[in-house]
DNA sequence: CTTTCACATCACCACCCGCTGATACCAGCG
DNA sequence: CGCTGGTATCAGCGGGTGGTGATGTGAAAG
C-alpha cells in the first residue's frame, strides 16, 4: 500500500539535531560521549533525542562497558526511501488524473 | 553530500494529516474541496496544512476557475528517497566503523 | 451590480515539544 | 566497599505549532 508511511518515524527525522545525529551515525557507530563532542549539545538534550530515535526504531543500542554505542538500522532508512520512491512514482504517473470540479 | 537533507521538508511530511494529503495527491490531482471531503478536516485547517506543503516545495497549485488544484512534485519526493537511500547505504557499509571509547 | 462560493489569511488559544538542571542508575576502578 | 564517570530519567519552564472562528478576496453565476 501507499499509505503505510509512519508519521512518527518521519517526525523523528524532522528535527535538525536528530538529523545531524543520524548523519553522524551513518558514518560510524558512536557512543553518547562522541555525539556530545560532535554536536556540542548537552548530554541531557542528546539523551532525549536518542530516546526518540530509539523509540522510532531508527537506532539500536549496544552497551560496551560503561558506554552505550548507537548504530543506525539501515533497513528502516531503506524502507523509508522505498516508500518515498513509490509515492514519487505514483505521483509521476498520476500527474494527469484530475478529478472533475464538483 | 550526505548532510543535505532539509529538516523542514521532512517536518512537512511528519504530520499525519499532511501525510494523508500527500498520499491522496499521489493518486490524483485534487482541489481543496475534494480534500475536505476525503479527509473530513475543516477548510481552514486544511488550507493551513496546504500552505505548509506549498512552502516546503512539495506541491504546486494550479488555479482552475474558482478552484485551486494541488499537484505533488515528484522530483522532491524522489530526491528525498535518494537521500534516504544514500544514508541507508552509508549506514550499511559503515556498520563496523566503531570509534574507540574515549 | 450583487450574490455566492472557493480559498486564503488573521487572531486567538490550548497544547505539545524541545531545552535545561537536578537526580537516579549502573558499571568499572581503587 | 565507596568513588568516579557515562547515561538515562524526571520535573519544570518557555516558545513554537496545530486547530478554530471570523474575516478578506477574487472569480463565476444570476
Amino acid at each position: 500500500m501507499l499509505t503505510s508511511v509512519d508519521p512518527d518515524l518521519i517526525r523523528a527525522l524532522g528535527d535538525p539535531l536528530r538529523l545531524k545525529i543520524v548523519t553522524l551515525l551513518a558514518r560510524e557507530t558512536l557512543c553518547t560521549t562522541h555525539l556530545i563532542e560532535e554536536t556540542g549539545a548537552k548530554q541531557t538534550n542528546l539523551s532525549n533525542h536518542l530516546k526518540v530515535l530509539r523509540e522510532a526504531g531508527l537506532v539500536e543500542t549496544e552497551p560496551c562497558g560503561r558506554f552505550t554505542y548507537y548504530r543506525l538500522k539501515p533497513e528502516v532508512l531503506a524502507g523509508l526511501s522505498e516508500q518515498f520512491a513509490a509515492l514519487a512514482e505514483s505521483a509521476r504517473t498520476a500527474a494527469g488524473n484530475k478529478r472533475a470540479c464538483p
Side-chain angles (χ1 to χ4, degrees), chain A:
Chain A
M1 261 301 283
L2 278 175
T3 62
S4 57
V5 190
D6 182 13
D8 292 332
L9 179 56
I10 305 182
R11 279 183 88 104
L13 289 166
D15 184 89
L17 182 49
R18 284 198 289 266
L19 198 53
K20 183 163 189 179
I21 295 174
V22 167
T23 52
L24 286 172
L25 289 181
R27 218 170 355 246
E28 51 182 342
T29 299
L30 297 170
C31 63
T32 315
T33 310
H34 296 133
L35 289 171
I36 292 176
E37 294 174 6
E38 296 285 344
T39 63
K42 307 258 178 181
Q43 181 265 327
T44 305
N45 187 12
L46 216 41
S47 192
N48 278 329
H49 284 297
L50 287 170
K51 180 179 185 177
V52 175
L53 291 175
R54 228 183 303 138
E55 289 174 346
L58 268 166
V59 300
E60 291 175 326
T61 63
E62 179 196 345
C64 169
R66 302 186 283 180
F67 303 88
T68 306
Y69 275 95
Y70 282 87
R71 189 185 326 112
L72 264 190
K73 299 213 277 181
E75 334 88 61
V76 182
L77 285 173
L80 256 189
S81 170
E82 279 181 25
Q83 291 174 335
F84 281 138
L87 274 178
E89 174 68 14
S90 172
R92 215 183 302 265
T93 61
N97 293 357
K98 187 183 296 184
R99 190 185 296 190
C101 304

